[in-house]
Amino acid sequence: MVTRSTIMDTNSFRAEHAAALDAETRKLTDKRSQVLGESYRLFYRNPVHLVKGQGQYLWDAAGHKYLDVYNNVASIGHCHPAVIEAVNEQMKMLNTHTRYLHENILNYTEELLKTTPSEIDRAMYMCTGSEANDLAIRIAREYSGGTGIIVSQEAYHGTSELTSGCSPALGSGQALAATTRLVPAPDAYRIAADDLGDWFAAQIQQQIDDMNANGIKFAGFLADSIFSSDGVMPNPVGFLKKAVDVVHANGGIFIADEVQPGFARTGDSFWGFGRHGVVPDIITTGKPMGNGIPVSGLLAKSDVLAAFSDNIPYFNTFGGNPVSMAAAQAVLKVIHDEDLQAHSKYVGAKLQAELSKLMDIHECVGDVRGAGLFIGFELVKDRDSKSPDKALALNLIEELRNTHRVLTSVAGPYGNVLKLRPPLAFQEHDIDWLVSALNQSIRKLKD
């Protein structure tokens, strides 16, 4: 049986590509296959050997400069000097775990909680988004007394046993948990619904009813509020609220996975869920909060968290360590000081407007949608049927990489949506590089 993975295998190097590589790249890929586990994947048929990063730019071993339009982990920009300085200064003093007192974790938490709804008043820290979502699922189960978790059809929430069981994007080689149920993505481009909020809420209720019919008690709904792995589904603003109301009416909790849409990326609000006027019961975050330093967090309503924390001790050896907290503090300060939320909204709107003009030039550009610096660029075989064009999307990202040195990747169930998600250092003057590259690449591939 051939396994399917939408996030690992869609845009990846495979053995059949090796013969086309230059000698140095072939040497590195061969060495990887000799010493690393075979589960790893490389981007691109011709993998990129990166050696340097600064802001929104990357350089390869040959000195070529690239525009990074994919990497949200370096959220405020590669090698940001504020993060480097904060980490370096703290490393010279101390790095240890949270069973000793330290100011960094307390000072950071006070500042971070100021960005959340007032109902969210407690924090816990880990090292990865997977760990944060894993703990969130455990808390949901303790609070509700149930086990059933609902996620979207192409969701990705992590690689632990619990989170991989709720991550259909990992593919058919990774079995979903028996207590996991899937809802179709809220795809405003393809779904003809008078009210997408009503439609999506009905999908949630349907899966809760299915759980009840199968003796599974509902625990919660876990969602990335921009549905990035599903192909970037940001609109209409507010559609998520009715679904969250259904979750609460059925005794479950809403876990907002903010690893990708959080920390000012969507422009409209600091957190992605803020665009929908909802208050999650739990918020989870990941490495973008530390600009790539291994740190993640879980923010929660105290009564929800108490169902777990009043009874079960939790210890993550280096979750919330002073060095990671110093990095996170630096990121939060840069977001505030440089007003990156407003920047993301302004530059993202400019970028989306320029990308939308490509729809007038190329019939294969079916839809351009997004919020702030998080944009989905969908390719179709024809606009009437909206038939996805995966082959074009995959060839396009290779052409962007090889000819124009623009780095991005694909998302969605059909692998036909370019996920344009640059570091927040992306500037208005970078728009022409990206849009021109897309225009020229599509023209070349379609001629």
Side-chain angles (χ1 to χ4, degrees):
M1 176 182 175
V2 177
T3 60
R4 160 192 163 274
S5 171
T6 56
I7 66 166
M8 293 295 288
D9 289 322
T10 309
N11 169 25
S12 65
F13 168 76
R14 294 185 290 276
E16 60 264 32
H17 302 141
L21 300 180
D22 64 80
E24 185 59 29
T25 303
R26 178 69 181 268
K27 179 181 176 181
L28 289 173
T29 58
D30 286 349
K31 191 168 186 178
R32 279 176 64 99
S33 68
Q34 292 163 11
V35 301
L36 298 180
E38 292 298 331
S39 294
Y40 285 116
R41 300 291 187 271
L42 286 161
F43 278 138
Y44 300 107
R45 298 164 196 163
N46 178 14
V48 187
H49 179 192
L50 295 173
V51 297
K52 177 185 173 184
Q54 183 178 346
Q56 64 276 42
Y57 306 121
L58 294 161
W59 284 262
D60 67 16
H64 299 127
K65 181 181 178 181
Y66 293 79
L67 176 63
D68 185 355
V69 194
Y70 188 68
N71 198 334
N72 75 311
V73 174
S75 58
I76 59 173
H78 295 281
C79 301
H80 197 289
V83 178
I84 294 170
E85 181 181 5
V87 168
N88 184 46
E89 289 303 310
Q90 185 58 51
M91 281 290 286
K92 289 191 293 186
M93 296 176 64
L94 173 73
N95 200 25
T96 186
H97 52 66
T98 53
R99 296 187 73 177
Y100 300 113
L101 290 171
H102 200 275
E103 292 86 356
N104 280 7
I105 191 171
L106 302 176
N107 294 339
Y108 176 70
T109 301
E110 285 182 335
E111 290 303 310
L112 185 62
L113 289 175
K114 291 176 183 177
T115 70
T116 68
S118 59
E119 296 92 333
I120 303 291
D121 58 357
R122 293 291 186 276
M124 298 182 73
Y125 296 99
M126 309 85 209
C127 299
T128 68
S130 295
E131 291 174 305
N133 283 328
D134 187 286
L135 180 58
I137 293 169
R138 293 175 65 189
I139 294 168
R141 289 175 170 176
E142 290 295 323
Y143 180 80
S144 66
T147 58
I149 301 293
I150 295 174
V151 297
S152 60
Q153 219 151 31
E154 292 293 324
Y156 170 69
H157 295 294
T159 56
S160 70
E161 183 173 3
L162 277 181
T163 57
S164 61
C166 295
S167 295
L170 289 173
S172 55
Q174 170 64 57
L176 292 177
T179 52
T180 297
R181 293 294 184 274
L182 307 182
V183 288
D187 186 351
Y189 178 56
R190 285 190 164 80
I191 294 166
D194 292 335
D195 187 310
L196 191 66
D198 286 336
W199 178 88
F200 195 55
Q203 302 301 312
I204 297 286
Q205 186 64 60
Q206 184 178 325
Q207 294 308 314
I208 295 172
D209 293 343
D210 179 77
M211 287 180 181
N212 291 334
N214 286 278
I216 299 169
K217 187 174 181 182
F218 174 53
F221 172 46
L222 170 59
D224 152 12
S225 58
I226 205 163
F227 297 88
S228 55
S229 294
D230 292 280
V232 187
M233 310 292 175
N235 297 314
V237 171
F239 80 81
L240 198 55
K241 187 177 187 310
K242 292 177 180 178
V244 174
D245 289 343
V246 166
V247 168
H248 288 150
N250 284 272
I253 69 168
F254 171 48
I255 304 165
D257 181 342
E258 291 287 316
V259 172
Q260 295 192 57
F263 289 88
R265 174 155 294 279
T266 64
D268 293 324
S269 60
F270 189 87
W271 300 102
F273 64 78
R275 302 177 67 248
H276 294 286
V278 299
V279 177
D281 301 285
I282 295 175
I283 303 166
T284 57
T285 71
K287 286 180 283 295
M289 70 187 284
N291 214 48
I293 293 292
V295 59
S296 64
L298 179 148
L299 310 174
K301 296 176 179 177
S302 54
D303 62 321
V304 173
L305 183 58
F308 176 90
S309 61
D310 284 1
N311 302 301
I312 303 172
Y314 179 84
F315 177 52
N316 185 304
T317 304
F318 261 65
N321 68 77
V323 170
S324 291
M325 290 292 96
Q329 283 177 302
V331 169
L332 195 58
K333 187 174 188 301
V334 168
I335 290 173
H336 288 151
D337 289 353
E338 298 183 9
D339 203 3
L340 290 184
Q341 183 179 323
H343 170 83
S344 181
K345 183 171 185 175
Y346 174 79
V347 177
K350 288 272 191 180
L351 174 58
Q352 190 169 336
E354 292 302 312
L355 290 168
S356 295
K357 292 177 182 178
L358 295 180
M359 296 178 69
D360 298 328
I361 303 170
H362 304 288
E363 188 70 19
C364 62
V365 182
D367 193 33
V368 177
R369 53 185 179 262
L373 284 170
F374 208 141
I375 296 172
F377 187 82
E378 180 149 358
L379 297 158
V380 295
K381 293 179 181 176
D382 85 87
R383 288 193 187 161
D384 290 337
S385 68
K386 301 180 181 179
S387 176
D389 199 334
K390 178 179 179 178
L392 175 60
L394 293 178
N395 288 333
L396 180 57
I397 58 175
E398 297 289 341
E399 179 65 17
L400 288 170
R401 173 256 185 273
N402 292 325
T403 302
H404 301 281
R405 300 197 177 100
V406 171
L407 303 179
T408 190
S409 193
V410 294
Y414 314 109
N416 69 314
V417 179
L418 270 61
K419 184 159 68 172
L420 306 177
R421 183 195 53 181
L424 300 183
F426 185 93
Q427 300 294 324
E428 193 170 353
H429 62 73
D430 296 309
I431 292 174
D432 183 61
W433 185 350
L434 172 57
V435 176
S436 295
L438 280 165
N439 184 33
Q440 293 173 43
S441 298
I442 295 170
R443 181 171 287 118
K444 178 179 177 180
L445 293 169
K446 295 299 287 182
D447 280 351

